[in-house]
Amino acid sequence: MRRPLLLLAVLVLTATGLVAPTAATTGPRAPAVSTSPAPPLRYVALGDSYSAASGVLPPDPTAPLVCLRSARSYPHVLAARTGARFTDVTCGAAETGDFFESQHPGVPPQLDALSRRTDLVTMTIGGNDSGVFIGAILACGVAGVSSLGRGNPCEQQHGDSFEQTVRETTYPSLVRALRAVHRRAPSARVAILGYPWIVPRRDGCFAQMPIARGDVPYLRSLQRTLNDAVRRAARATGSTYVDLNRASDGHDACQPIGTRWVEPILLGTNPVVVHPNARGERAMARQVVRRLRLR
């Protein structure tokens, strides 16, 4: 009679709530699975006209007019793709010094946009420092016109002075700027892009880019040196370098519409010459997504 009495007692106690059913006492409850969505990335875009997409229509209506910022820049493409909480302080003609000081009246230093809550920072910067890269394009253009596209007059006039300035002045300025970004946004992923190719490996296209034929490899070498300085600065500061050398090869300003990512000086579609078009900006965004594995 003991076993029937024991079963009866368990049934009575269970019914009155004094003993939990066996199934409920077999182990701890599984933790509840959260169904709330992840918070959006806090994304800040810094940088110069290649990040602002200067000249690409339509302009960003929220930007200072002097910054020539486009609503189709690669940061805007990234922000739309990721659903980020987006702050854009890119500005045409920006140098690394404009991270620390106001570039124009009413335009704060770019570093002011960063905080400890920033998750992602992107930029192109360095091409305007010391006027070396843009200065070289202008100088080689003048020399090319004066020689009617023959020879290498720009290289003969300037030698390795442009590349020396990049190594000795631009590189340390990039390191300083990137270190400051990490101090302001210590939890952020910081990505700096190289510049897409402006001229092909050789020959060129004098009618569109009035660079003497022999100076085309000279300018290409200068851009390679600049991109290498960006790469080395990224490595020295724990930043991510987004390499555009391979991706942009064959998409330079000498290529036809629909292929080129950068617009030429003459016969182009962008009022701001020697700058990426909308296709180029989308391509830059794709490279950032791949390099950072963004969703």
Side-chain angles (χ1 to χ4, degrees):
M1 294 294 292
R2 290 182 180 178
R3 180 171 295 177
L5 288 174
L6 180 59
L7 289 174
L8 180 60
V10 169
L11 289 172
V12 172
L13 291 172
T14 300
T16 58
L18 296 178
V19 175
T22 304
T25 59
T26 56
R29 292 184 179 180
V33 177
S34 174
T35 58
S36 24
L41 281 174
R42 291 182 173 88
Y43 169 33
V44 178
L46 310 178
D48 57 24
S49 52
Y50 273 56
S51 291
S54 296
V56 177
L57 298 177
D60 180 352
T62 68
L65 291 177
V66 71
C67 285
L68 296 177
R69 193 184 302 155
S70 170
R72 299 173 73 186
S73 67
Y74 81 79
H76 279 259
V77 175
L78 281 178
R81 177 176 179 136
T82 60
R85 185 176 299 171
F86 180 43
T87 302
D88 187 357
V89 294
T90 59
C91 194
E95 303 178 12
T96 54
D98 298 315
F99 280 19
F100 304 91
E101 299 177 359
S102 175
Q103 183 177 351
H104 302 287
V107 178
Q110 293 195 19
L111 290 176
D112 287 3
L114 303 176
S115 75
R116 292 184 172 276
R117 302 180 69 192
T118 303
D119 298 310
L120 174 64
V121 183
T122 64
M123 72 193 80
T124 52
I125 200 70
N128 296 312
D129 279 45
S130 304
V132 63
F133 192 57
I134 297 301
I137 293 172
L138 294 175
C140 289
V142 171
V145 170
S146 66
S147 71
L148 299 179
R150 294 189 295 267
N152 61 334
C154 194
E155 182 176 14
Q156 291 180 11
Q157 291 175 27
H158 299 282
D160 66 352
S161 62
F162 294 131
E163 293 194 12
Q164 186 175 349
T165 300
V166 170
R167 294 188 183 102
E168 296 180 357
T169 304
T170 305
Y171 169 72
S173 297
L174 285 166
V175 171
R176 175 175 177 254
L178 286 168
R179 285 177 175 162
V181 169
H182 283 281
R183 283 195 298 270
R184 291 291 189 98
S187 301
R189 301 178 73 184
V190 178
I192 182 168
L193 289 71
Y195 291 90
W197 291 118
I198 292 173
V199 294
R201 296 172 186 267
R202 55 185 175 273
D203 297 335
C205 51
F206 188 74
Q208 297 160 279
M209 294 286 289
I211 309 296
R213 184 169 181 168
D215 281 329
V216 170
Y218 176 65
L219 272 182
R220 178 98 170 189
S221 176
L222 172 58
Q223 186 173 354
R224 184 180 295 108
T225 299
L226 174 60
N227 281 344
D228 186 62
V230 173
R231 179 191 63 79
R232 291 187 294 115
R235 183 178 60 186
T237 58
S239 308
T240 299
Y241 175 58
V242 180
D243 188 354
L244 290 170
N245 285 357
R246 179 179 296 180
S248 66
D249 200 22
H251 297 281
D252 55 80
C254 287
Q255 305 308 314
I257 294 175
T259 300
R260 66 182 180 235
W261 293 356
V262 176
E263 290 299 309
I265 294 173
L266 302 172
L267 306 176
T269 62
N270 190 337
V272 182
V273 299
V274 197
H275 278 72
N277 52 34
R279 180 183 296 271
E281 292 288 330
R282 291 194 300 271
M284 293 166 75
R286 286 196 300 271
Q287 294 306 309
V288 176
V289 168
R290 289 172 184 168
R291 184 69 178 86
L292 297 182
R293 298 181 180 178
L294 298 175
R295 294 182 178 179

